Amino acid sequence: DPGSWHKENLEKNPSHYPHILRMLGGDVISRLQTEYGANIYFNTLIPFEDGLIKYGVISTQHLVSDLLDWETLYVAGRLHKPVNILEIDRQNGHLVDGLTTNLNSAIHTAFLQLPQRCDEKELYLNLAGISYMGDLRMIVGEDKNKVVNIVEAQIQLFKQLYNKRLQTFNEYVQIENGIMTQDTSEEGRHYHLSMLPKCLQQKLVDEWNKDSRERDVEEVMFLAARDPHLSTQTIRRGIGEIVQKSSTPQAIKGLVTAGPVKATAYSAAKLKKMIKSLMK
């Protein structure tokens, strides 16, 4: 329950919130979290030990929905990269299954965009880049080399996260000496398409039904498998639409939840990184 959580956190850590939100209270903060952007609330530039941290709050229901269906790709996309999960409720089967499904969905999506042969780094770049497609912050406010930097700095961690999982795809993907050869036949593409998350499949359905016919998901996946060019285009555009729809209002919400002082400092730091990357 976000409302109860924020009320308790306001009592314990009032300085984490800007003055105006402290005055409005937990219920308003909860509505701000769940009704705008990506269903997540961030407190930023919080002193912790010898540094500063940023932490986000999301309900379990919204988290699981994003992991399974890619409704916003905001949290699901971040979890395509190596993260350090400090604690997880293993008794929550929906959450555990969602974390697994999210990574598998990313692999299916990546292979649909990759050529028949690629190396590990190309795969990891594609996986890491999913959540940045359509994100306006990559135009203004982010390091232009962010995805490459993420992968190159953590390539061993990417291997740890995905290597065992990739072995379960051995019927459609062969891996030898870091080179991946995938089955790009109609059957192979249909396998990946049929395993995409619901919101991305719906983008394909919308594209194939532009002629006002009412094809269902199953029929569209077969048709999409026969047209690699259009299906790949639609997947990329669909991801961009999902990301932009959530990330843009989330960025605006961040200016409110951070407060004017922190928002200015945080934005300045982001712009500094972007300018530095452009000067390389």
mmCIF file of all heavy atoms in Angstrom, residues 190-228:
data_model
loop_
_atom_site.group_PDB
_atom_site.id
_atom_site.type_symbol
_atom_site.label_atom_id
_atom_site.label_comp_id
_atom_site.label_asym_id
_atom_site.label_seq_id
_atom_site.Cartn_x
_atom_site.Cartn_y
_atom_site.Cartn_z
ATOM 1 N N HIS A 190 8.680 -16.944 -35.243
ATOM 2 C CA HIS A 190 7.375 -17.121 -34.610
ATOM 3 C C HIS A 190 7.530 -17.521 -33.148
ATOM 4 O O HIS A 190 6.753 -17.085 -32.286
ATOM 5 C CB HIS A 190 6.542 -18.173 -35.346
ATOM 6 C CG HIS A 190 5.196 -18.396 -34.714
ATOM 7 N ND1 HIS A 190 4.946 -19.435 -33.846
ATOM 8 C CD2 HIS A 190 4.043 -17.665 -34.803
ATOM 9 C CE1 HIS A 190 3.689 -19.343 -33.427
ATOM 10 N NE2 HIS A 190 3.129 -18.296 -33.991
ATOM 11 N N TYR A 191 8.528 -18.351 -32.865
ATOM 12 C CA TYR A 191 8.782 -18.745 -31.467
ATOM 13 C C TYR A 191 9.035 -17.507 -30.609
ATOM 14 O O TYR A 191 8.416 -17.341 -29.546
ATOM 15 C CB TYR A 191 9.980 -19.689 -31.416
ATOM 16 C CG TYR A 191 10.526 -19.899 -30.014
ATOM 17 C CD1 TYR A 191 9.776 -20.544 -29.040
ATOM 18 C CD2 TYR A 191 11.796 -19.428 -29.676
ATOM 19 C CE1 TYR A 191 10.282 -20.729 -27.752
ATOM 20 C CE2 TYR A 191 12.304 -19.613 -28.399
ATOM 21 C CZ TYR A 191 11.540 -20.257 -27.442
ATOM 22 O OH TYR A 191 12.036 -20.438 -26.179
ATOM 23 N N HIS A 192 9.923 -16.627 -31.059
ATOM 24 C CA HIS A 192 10.229 -15.422 -30.280
ATOM 25 C C HIS A 192 9.021 -14.489 -30.195
ATOM 26 O O HIS A 192 8.725 -13.941 -29.127
ATOM 27 C CB HIS A 192 11.420 -14.681 -30.903
ATOM 28 C CG HIS A 192 12.716 -15.415 -30.807
ATOM 29 N ND1 HIS A 192 13.242 -15.842 -29.608
ATOM 30 C CD2 HIS A 192 13.598 -15.801 -31.773
ATOM 31 C CE1 HIS A 192 14.400 -16.448 -29.823
ATOM 32 N NE2 HIS A 192 14.629 -16.444 -31.126
ATOM 33 N N LEU A 193 8.335 -14.315 -31.304
ATOM 34 C CA LEU A 193 7.168 -13.427 -31.321
ATOM 35 C C LEU A 193 6.077 -13.903 -30.361
ATOM 36 O O LEU A 193 5.431 -13.091 -29.683
ATOM 37 C CB LEU A 193 6.598 -13.342 -32.741
ATOM 38 C CG LEU A 193 7.425 -12.538 -33.753
ATOM 39 C CD1 LEU A 193 7.023 -12.902 -35.183
ATOM 40 C CD2 LEU A 193 7.263 -11.040 -33.516
ATOM 41 N N SER A 194 5.875 -15.208 -30.303
ATOM 42 C CA SER A 194 4.823 -15.759 -29.445
ATOM 43 C C SER A 194 5.153 -15.622 -27.970
ATOM 44 O O SER A 194 4.265 -15.749 -27.120
ATOM 45 C CB SER A 194 4.587 -17.234 -29.781
ATOM 46 O OG SER A 194 5.724 -18.012 -29.450
ATOM 47 N N MET A 195 6.417 -15.322 -27.652
ATOM 48 C CA MET A 195 6.841 -15.200 -26.256
ATOM 49 C C MET A 195 7.015 -13.744 -25.823
ATOM 50 O O MET A 195 7.428 -13.492 -24.688
ATOM 51 C CB MET A 195 8.161 -15.954 -26.055
ATOM 52 C CG MET A 195 8.095 -17.435 -26.390
ATOM 53 S SD MET A 195 6.893 -18.342 -25.390
ATOM 54 C CE MET A 195 7.740 -18.372 -23.807
ATOM 55 N N LEU A 196 6.706 -12.808 -26.690
ATOM 56 C CA LEU A 196 6.839 -11.391 -26.328
ATOM 57 C C LEU A 196 5.815 -11.007 -25.259
ATOM 58 O O LEU A 196 4.737 -11.600 -25.185
ATOM 59 C CB LEU A 196 6.640 -10.508 -27.554
ATOM 60 C CG LEU A 196 7.712 -10.567 -28.646
ATOM 61 C CD1 LEU A 196 7.326 -9.664 -29.809
ATOM 62 C CD2 LEU A 196 9.081 -10.190 -28.099
ATOM 63 N N PRO A 197 6.122 -9.987 -24.458
ATOM 64 C CA PRO A 197 5.149 -9.512 -23.461
ATOM 65 C C PRO A 197 3.905 -8.930 -24.123
ATOM 66 O O PRO A 197 3.943 -8.470 -25.266
ATOM 67 C CB PRO A 197 5.921 -8.452 -22.673
ATOM 68 C CG PRO A 197 7.056 -8.066 -23.552
ATOM 69 C CD PRO A 197 7.399 -9.255 -24.374
ATOM 70 N N LYS A 198 2.811 -8.951 -23.389
ATOM 71 C CA LYS A 198 1.493 -8.600 -23.924
ATOM 72 C C LYS A 198 1.463 -7.223 -24.586
ATOM 73 O O LYS A 198 0.899 -7.078 -25.687
ATOM 74 C CB LYS A 198 0.452 -8.661 -22.794
ATOM 75 C CG LYS A 198 -0.972 -8.382 -23.254
ATOM 76 C CD LYS A 198 -1.958 -8.539 -22.104
ATOM 77 C CE LYS A 198 -1.828 -7.426 -21.080
ATOM 78 N NZ LYS A 198 -2.873 -7.505 -20.029
ATOM 79 N N CYS A 199 2.048 -6.215 -23.947
ATOM 80 C CA CYS A 199 1.946 -4.858 -24.493
ATOM 81 C C CYS A 199 2.707 -4.716 -25.806
ATOM 82 O O CYS A 199 2.313 -3.936 -26.683
ATOM 83 C CB CYS A 199 2.448 -3.837 -23.469
ATOM 84 S SG CYS A 199 1.346 -3.659 -22.044
ATOM 85 N N LEU A 200 3.784 -5.472 -25.973
ATOM 86 C CA LEU A 200 4.531 -5.412 -27.220
ATOM 87 C C LEU A 200 3.815 -6.206 -28.315
ATOM 88 O O LEU A 200 3.777 -5.776 -29.478
ATOM 89 C CB LEU A 200 5.948 -5.945 -27.005
ATOM 90 C CG LEU A 200 6.987 -5.607 -28.081
ATOM 91 C CD1 LEU A 200 6.979 -4.131 -28.417
ATOM 92 C CD2 LEU A 200 8.380 -6.038 -27.624
ATOM 93 N N GLN A 201 3.228 -7.320 -27.954
ATOM 94 C CA GLN A 201 2.418 -8.060 -28.928
ATOM 95 C C GLN A 201 1.256 -7.207 -29.421
ATOM 96 O O GLN A 201 0.902 -7.250 -30.606
ATOM 97 C CB GLN A 201 1.880 -9.356 -28.312
ATOM 98 C CG GLN A 201 2.920 -10.450 -28.150
ATOM 99 C CD GLN A 201 2.303 -11.763 -27.692
ATOM 100 O OE1 GLN A 201 1.225 -11.778 -27.080
ATOM 101 N NE2 GLN A 201 2.975 -12.867 -27.960
ATOM 102 N N GLN A 202 0.673 -6.409 -28.526
ATOM 103 C CA GLN A 202 -0.455 -5.563 -28.917
ATOM 104 C C GLN A 202 -0.033 -4.525 -29.956
ATOM 105 O O GLN A 202 -0.821 -4.166 -30.842
ATOM 106 C CB GLN A 202 -1.054 -4.868 -27.692
ATOM 107 C CG GLN A 202 -2.325 -4.082 -27.978
ATOM 108 C CD GLN A 202 -3.436 -4.951 -28.558
ATOM 109 O OE1 GLN A 202 -3.736 -6.018 -28.024
ATOM 110 N NE2 GLN A 202 -4.041 -4.510 -29.658
ATOM 111 N N LYS A 203 1.205 -4.045 -29.875
ATOM 112 C CA LYS A 203 1.714 -3.114 -30.882
ATOM 113 C C LYS A 203 1.739 -3.778 -32.257
ATOM 114 O O LYS A 203 1.432 -3.135 -33.277
ATOM 115 C CB LYS A 203 3.122 -2.636 -30.500
ATOM 116 C CG LYS A 203 3.194 -1.831 -29.206
ATOM 117 C CD LYS A 203 2.479 -0.498 -29.326
ATOM 118 C CE LYS A 203 2.624 0.322 -28.050
ATOM 119 N NZ LYS A 203 1.932 1.640 -28.153
ATOM 120 N N LEU A 204 2.097 -5.066 -32.295
ATOM 121 C CA LEU A 204 2.101 -5.807 -33.552
ATOM 122 C C LEU A 204 0.675 -6.006 -34.076
ATOM 123 O O LEU A 204 0.410 -5.863 -35.270
ATOM 124 C CB LEU A 204 2.798 -7.146 -33.366
ATOM 125 C CG LEU A 204 4.315 -7.078 -33.163
ATOM 126 C CD1 LEU A 204 4.829 -8.329 -32.467
ATOM 127 C CD2 LEU A 204 5.034 -6.888 -34.493
ATOM 128 N N VAL A 205 -0.226 -6.323 -33.158
ATOM 129 C CA VAL A 205 -1.634 -6.491 -33.544
ATOM 130 C C VAL A 205 -2.178 -5.191 -34.130
ATOM 131 O O VAL A 205 -2.863 -5.192 -35.169
ATOM 132 C CB VAL A 205 -2.483 -6.941 -32.334
ATOM 133 C CG1 VAL A 205 -3.974 -6.905 -32.683
ATOM 134 C CG2 VAL A 205 -2.087 -8.347 -31.891
ATOM 135 N N ASP A 206 -1.882 -4.076 -33.492
ATOM 136 C CA ASP A 206 -2.359 -2.778 -33.983
ATOM 137 C C ASP A 206 -1.818 -2.495 -35.382
ATOM 138 O O ASP A 206 -2.545 -1.968 -36.244
ATOM 139 C CB ASP A 206 -1.931 -1.657 -33.032
ATOM 140 C CG ASP A 206 -2.634 -1.736 -31.684
ATOM 141 O OD1 ASP A 206 -3.652 -2.443 -31.587
ATOM 142 O OD2 ASP A 206 -2.144 -1.099 -30.720
ATOM 143 N N GLU A 207 -0.560 -2.838 -35.625
ATOM 144 C CA GLU A 207 0.052 -2.599 -36.933
ATOM 145 C C GLU A 207 -0.608 -3.449 -38.011
ATOM 146 O O GLU A 207 -0.952 -2.954 -39.096
ATOM 147 C CB GLU A 207 1.554 -2.902 -36.865
ATOM 148 C CG GLU A 207 2.287 -2.796 -38.194
ATOM 149 C CD GLU A 207 2.302 -1.390 -38.757
ATOM 150 O OE1 GLU A 207 2.343 -0.421 -37.951
ATOM 151 O OE2 GLU A 207 2.249 -1.240 -39.999
ATOM 152 N N TRP A 208 -0.804 -4.723 -37.723
ATOM 153 C CA TRP A 208 -1.362 -5.626 -38.733
ATOM 154 C C TRP A 208 -2.868 -5.413 -38.954
ATOM 155 O O TRP A 208 -3.410 -5.838 -39.950
ATOM 156 C CB TRP A 208 -1.055 -7.076 -38.371
ATOM 157 C CG TRP A 208 0.071 -7.630 -39.217
ATOM 158 C CD1 TRP A 208 -0.050 -8.364 -40.364
ATOM 159 C CD2 TRP A 208 1.467 -7.467 -38.994
ATOM 160 N NE1 TRP A 208 1.195 -8.656 -40.870
ATOM 161 C CE2 TRP A 208 2.151 -8.121 -40.047
ATOM 162 C CE3 TRP A 208 2.226 -6.824 -38.020
ATOM 163 C CZ2 TRP A 208 3.538 -8.163 -40.145
ATOM 164 C CZ3 TRP A 208 3.609 -6.858 -38.114
ATOM 165 C CH2 TRP A 208 4.249 -7.514 -39.162
ATOM 166 N N ASN A 209 -3.509 -4.739 -38.020
ATOM 167 C CA ASN A 209 -4.940 -4.476 -38.170
ATOM 168 C C ASN A 209 -5.242 -3.050 -38.623
ATOM 169 O O ASN A 209 -6.372 -2.572 -38.502
ATOM 170 C CB ASN A 209 -5.671 -4.761 -36.855
ATOM 171 C CG ASN A 209 -5.824 -6.253 -36.602
ATOM 172 O OD1 ASN A 209 -5.782 -7.058 -37.541
ATOM 173 N ND2 ASN A 209 -6.005 -6.628 -35.354
ATOM 174 N N LYS A 210 -4.229 -2.390 -39.181
ATOM 175 C CA LYS A 210 -4.458 -1.039 -39.712
ATOM 176 C C LYS A 210 -5.431 -1.044 -40.884
ATOM 177 O O LYS A 210 -5.986 -0.002 -41.232
ATOM 178 C CB LYS A 210 -3.126 -0.422 -40.150
ATOM 179 C CG LYS A 210 -2.316 0.171 -39.003
ATOM 180 C CD LYS A 210 -1.071 0.855 -39.528
ATOM 181 C CE LYS A 210 -0.322 1.556 -38.395
ATOM 182 N NZ LYS A 210 0.921 2.215 -38.895
ATOM 183 N N ASP A 211 -5.608 -2.225 -41.478
ATOM 184 C CA ASP A 211 -6.538 -2.315 -42.601
ATOM 185 C C ASP A 211 -7.978 -2.531 -42.144
ATOM 186 O O ASP A 211 -8.844 -2.903 -42.933
ATOM 187 C CB ASP A 211 -6.121 -3.434 -43.559
ATOM 188 C CG ASP A 211 -6.048 -4.796 -42.850
ATOM 189 O OD1 ASP A 211 -6.403 -4.870 -41.653
ATOM 190 O OD2 ASP A 211 -5.635 -5.773 -43.496
ATOM 191 N N SER A 212 -8.206 -2.330 -40.828
ATOM 192 C CA SER A 212 -9.538 -2.431 -40.212
ATOM 193 C C SER A 212 -10.040 -3.864 -40.050
ATOM 194 O O SER A 212 -11.191 -4.086 -39.669
ATOM 195 C CB SER A 212 -10.588 -1.621 -41.011
ATOM 196 O OG SER A 212 -10.224 -0.253 -41.032
ATOM 197 N N ARG A 213 -9.188 -4.837 -40.324
ATOM 198 C CA ARG A 213 -9.562 -6.209 -40.019
ATOM 199 C C ARG A 213 -9.340 -6.461 -38.541
ATOM 200 O O ARG A 213 -8.684 -5.677 -37.845
ATOM 201 C CB ARG A 213 -8.749 -7.184 -40.870
ATOM 202 C CG ARG A 213 -9.101 -7.095 -42.362
ATOM 203 C CD ARG A 213 -8.322 -8.087 -43.188
ATOM 204 N NE ARG A 213 -8.628 -9.453 -42.791
ATOM 205 C CZ ARG A 213 -8.067 -10.518 -43.364
ATOM 206 N NH1 ARG A 213 -7.188 -10.359 -44.359
ATOM 207 N NH2 ARG A 213 -8.377 -11.739 -42.966
ATOM 208 N N GLU A 214 -9.884 -7.545 -38.032
ATOM 209 C CA GLU A 214 -9.793 -7.834 -36.601
ATOM 210 C C GLU A 214 -9.076 -9.166 -36.381
ATOM 211 O O GLU A 214 -9.647 -10.137 -35.885
ATOM 212 C CB GLU A 214 -11.184 -7.849 -35.964
ATOM 213 C CG GLU A 214 -11.865 -6.486 -36.011
ATOM 214 C CD GLU A 214 -13.194 -6.487 -35.281
ATOM 215 O OE1 GLU A 214 -13.593 -7.541 -34.749
ATOM 216 O OE2 GLU A 214 -13.842 -5.424 -35.252
ATOM 217 N N ARG A 215 -7.801 -9.209 -36.746
ATOM 218 C CA ARG A 215 -6.999 -10.414 -36.538
ATOM 219 C C ARG A 215 -6.655 -10.522 -35.064
ATOM 220 O O ARG A 215 -6.349 -9.534 -34.406
ATOM 221 C CB ARG A 215 -5.716 -10.346 -37.364
ATOM 222 C CG ARG A 215 -5.933 -10.177 -38.867
ATOM 223 C CD ARG A 215 -4.602 -10.000 -39.578
ATOM 224 N NE ARG A 215 -4.760 -9.792 -41.004
ATOM 225 C CZ ARG A 215 -4.908 -8.598 -41.576
ATOM 226 N NH1 ARG A 215 -4.960 -7.502 -40.823
ATOM 227 N NH2 ARG A 215 -5.024 -8.500 -42.883
ATOM 228 N N ASP A 216 -6.652 -11.745 -34.529
ATOM 229 C CA ASP A 216 -6.290 -11.917 -33.130
ATOM 230 C C ASP A 216 -4.775 -12.054 -32.992
ATOM 231 O O ASP A 216 -4.036 -12.068 -33.987
ATOM 232 C CB ASP A 216 -7.014 -13.121 -32.517
ATOM 233 C CG ASP A 216 -6.683 -14.443 -33.212
ATOM 234 O OD1 ASP A 216 -5.658 -14.518 -33.930
ATOM 235 O OD2 ASP A 216 -7.452 -15.411 -33.031
ATOM 236 N N VAL A 217 -4.310 -12.152 -31.760
ATOM 237 C CA VAL A 217 -2.869 -12.186 -31.489
ATOM 238 C C VAL A 217 -2.212 -13.373 -32.187
ATOM 239 O O VAL A 217 -1.150 -13.228 -32.818
ATOM 240 C CB VAL A 217 -2.607 -12.258 -29.964
ATOM 241 C CG1 VAL A 217 -1.117 -12.462 -29.685
ATOM 242 C CG2 VAL A 217 -3.090 -10.981 -29.275
ATOM 243 N N GLU A 218 -2.823 -14.530 -32.097
ATOM 244 C CA GLU A 218 -2.226 -15.728 -32.678
ATOM 245 C C GLU A 218 -2.011 -15.578 -34.185
ATOM 246 O O GLU A 218 -0.937 -15.903 -34.709
ATOM 247 C CB GLU A 218 -3.115 -16.947 -32.395
ATOM 248 C CG GLU A 218 -2.515 -18.265 -32.852
ATOM 249 C CD GLU A 218 -3.394 -19.446 -32.475
ATOM 250 O OE1 GLU A 218 -4.427 -19.240 -31.806
ATOM 251 O OE2 GLU A 218 -3.042 -20.577 -32.857
ATOM 252 N N GLU A 219 -3.028 -15.060 -34.876
ATOM 253 C CA GLU A 219 -2.907 -14.895 -36.326
ATOM 254 C C GLU A 219 -1.839 -13.863 -36.663
ATOM 255 O O GLU A 219 -1.040 -14.054 -37.591
ATOM 256 C CB GLU A 219 -4.257 -14.464 -36.918
ATOM 257 C CG GLU A 219 -4.228 -14.330 -38.439
ATOM 258 C CD GLU A 219 -5.564 -13.902 -39.029
ATOM 259 O OE1 GLU A 219 -6.527 -13.700 -38.249
ATOM 260 O OE2 GLU A 219 -5.641 -13.762 -40.263
ATOM 261 N N VAL A 220 -1.804 -12.774 -35.914
ATOM 262 C CA VAL A 220 -0.823 -11.720 -36.186
ATOM 263 C C VAL A 220 0.600 -12.223 -35.972
ATOM 264 O O VAL A 220 1.510 -11.885 -36.738
ATOM 265 C CB VAL A 220 -1.107 -10.474 -35.324
ATOM 266 C CG1 VAL A 220 0.071 -9.497 -35.383
ATOM 267 C CG2 VAL A 220 -2.383 -9.791 -35.780
ATOM 268 N N MET A 221 0.825 -13.053 -34.959
ATOM 269 C CA MET A 221 2.176 -13.554 -34.724
ATOM 270 C C MET A 221 2.655 -14.402 -35.902
ATOM 271 O O MET A 221 3.831 -14.349 -36.279
ATOM 272 C CB MET A 221 2.240 -14.355 -33.416
ATOM 273 C CG MET A 221 1.989 -13.548 -32.149
ATOM 274 S SD MET A 221 2.973 -12.037 -31.994
ATOM 275 C CE MET A 221 1.715 -10.777 -32.282
ATOM 276 N N PHE A 222 1.762 -15.180 -36.500
ATOM 277 C CA PHE A 222 2.128 -15.963 -37.689
ATOM 278 C C PHE A 222 2.452 -15.034 -38.863
ATOM 279 O O PHE A 222 3.431 -15.243 -39.586
ATOM 280 C CB PHE A 222 1.004 -16.926 -38.068
ATOM 281 C CG PHE A 222 1.014 -18.211 -37.292
ATOM 282 C CD1 PHE A 222 0.021 -18.482 -36.358
ATOM 283 C CD2 PHE A 222 2.009 -19.161 -37.490
ATOM 284 C CE1 PHE A 222 0.029 -19.666 -35.628
ATOM 285 C CE2 PHE A 222 2.026 -20.345 -36.770
ATOM 286 C CZ PHE A 222 1.035 -20.605 -35.840
ATOM 287 N N LEU A 223 1.620 -14.003 -39.055
ATOM 288 C CA LEU A 223 1.849 -13.067 -40.148
ATOM 289 C C LEU A 223 3.139 -12.280 -39.938
ATOM 290 O O LEU A 223 3.901 -12.041 -40.889
ATOM 291 C CB LEU A 223 0.658 -12.111 -40.267
ATOM 292 C CG LEU A 223 -0.667 -12.736 -40.705
ATOM 293 C CD1 LEU A 223 -1.793 -11.714 -40.571
ATOM 294 C CD2 LEU A 223 -0.579 -13.249 -42.139
ATOM 295 N N ALA A 224 3.385 -11.869 -38.706
ATOM 296 C CA ALA A 224 4.592 -11.099 -38.397
ATOM 297 C C ALA A 224 5.848 -11.932 -38.627
ATOM 298 O O ALA A 224 6.891 -11.407 -39.039
ATOM 299 C CB ALA A 224 4.532 -10.601 -36.952
ATOM 300 N N ALA A 225 5.769 -13.236 -38.363
ATOM 301 C CA ALA A 225 6.918 -14.117 -38.567
ATOM 302 C C ALA A 225 7.306 -14.187 -40.036
ATOM 303 O O ALA A 225 8.473 -14.428 -40.371
ATOM 304 C CB ALA A 225 6.598 -15.510 -38.033
ATOM 305 N N ARG A 226 6.341 -13.966 -40.914
ATOM 306 C CA ARG A 226 6.603 -14.026 -42.355
ATOM 307 C C ARG A 226 7.165 -12.709 -42.901
ATOM 308 O O ARG A 226 7.592 -12.655 -44.063
ATOM 309 C CB ARG A 226 5.304 -14.357 -43.106
ATOM 310 C CG ARG A 226 4.736 -15.735 -42.767
ATOM 311 C CD ARG A 226 3.371 -15.902 -43.413
ATOM 312 N NE ARG A 226 2.683 -17.086 -42.881
ATOM 313 C CZ ARG A 226 1.373 -17.315 -43.031
ATOM 314 N NH1 ARG A 226 0.626 -16.447 -43.707
ATOM 315 N NH2 ARG A 226 0.824 -18.400 -42.521
ATOM 316 N N ASP A 227 7.135 -11.658 -42.099
ATOM 317 C CA ASP A 227 7.593 -10.344 -42.559
ATOM 318 C C ASP A 227 8.609 -9.780 -41.557
ATOM 319 O O ASP A 227 8.270 -8.925 -40.727
ATOM 320 C CB ASP A 227 6.394 -9.397 -42.692
ATOM 321 C CG ASP A 227 6.739 -8.119 -43.448
ATOM 322 O OD1 ASP A 227 7.932 -7.751 -43.481
ATOM 323 O OD2 ASP A 227 5.817 -7.496 -44.003
ATOM 324 N N PRO A 228 9.854 -10.250 -41.626
ATOM 325 C CA PRO A 228 10.870 -9.815 -40.647
ATOM 326 C C PRO A 228 11.083 -8.305 -40.625
ATOM 327 O O PRO A 228 11.275 -7.731 -39.553
ATOM 328 C CB PRO A 228 12.138 -10.541 -41.118
ATOM 329 C CG PRO A 228 11.648 -11.688 -41.928
ATOM 330 C CD PRO A 228 10.389 -11.223 -42.582
#
